[in-house]
Amino acid sequence: MLTLDKLNIYRRFDGDLDGWARTANGHDASGITDDDWHLIEDLRQALALIAAGQASQVFTVSFESRLRDTTADEATRQALRALR
């Protein structure tokens, strides 16, 4: 489950998984994992497709459901949408 703490770690390392792994040795207080990192990347890619108008209505509806299922709360979803 993605949380604001995990997104803050992702943002602090500017999406650099290798940089985080070298610094944190794969562990830190946020509890973020490699799988979380990849999930953030996947969700960001889907958000970009939707924003660019390149996603079907079915994809968009399915994505919104997945986004709700994989994030802790609305604040986390908004923070994810704000990542650039």
Side-chain angles (χ1 to χ4, degrees):
M1 178 82 45
L2 296 180
T3 63
L4 280 175
D5 287 342
K6 291 177 181 182
L7 288 178
N8 287 335
I9 295 295
Y10 179 90
R11 187 179 304 122
R12 187 172 73 200
F13 286 91
D14 198 28
D16 180 11
L17 176 59
D18 290 334
W20 167 76
R22 282 189 305 273
T23 303
N25 292 324
H27 299 88
D28 63 40
S30 73
I32 194 170
T33 65
D34 290 354
D35 288 339
D36 292 327
W37 208 278
H38 293 294
L39 176 59
I40 293 168
E41 291 288 325
D42 188 43
L43 295 174
R44 288 185 68 205
Q45 182 179 21
L47 284 167
L49 287 172
I50 293 167
Q54 297 177 336
S56 70
Q57 182 65 27
V58 171
F59 178 87
T60 302
V61 169
S62 174
F63 170 77
E64 289 298 330
S65 177
R66 181 176 180 215
L67 185 63
R68 282 189 303 275
D69 291 345
T70 58
T71 54
D73 53 28
E74 184 60 31
T76 303
R77 289 186 284 280
Q78 291 303 319
L80 184 62
R81 291 178 194 280
L83 284 176
R84 299 280 179 207

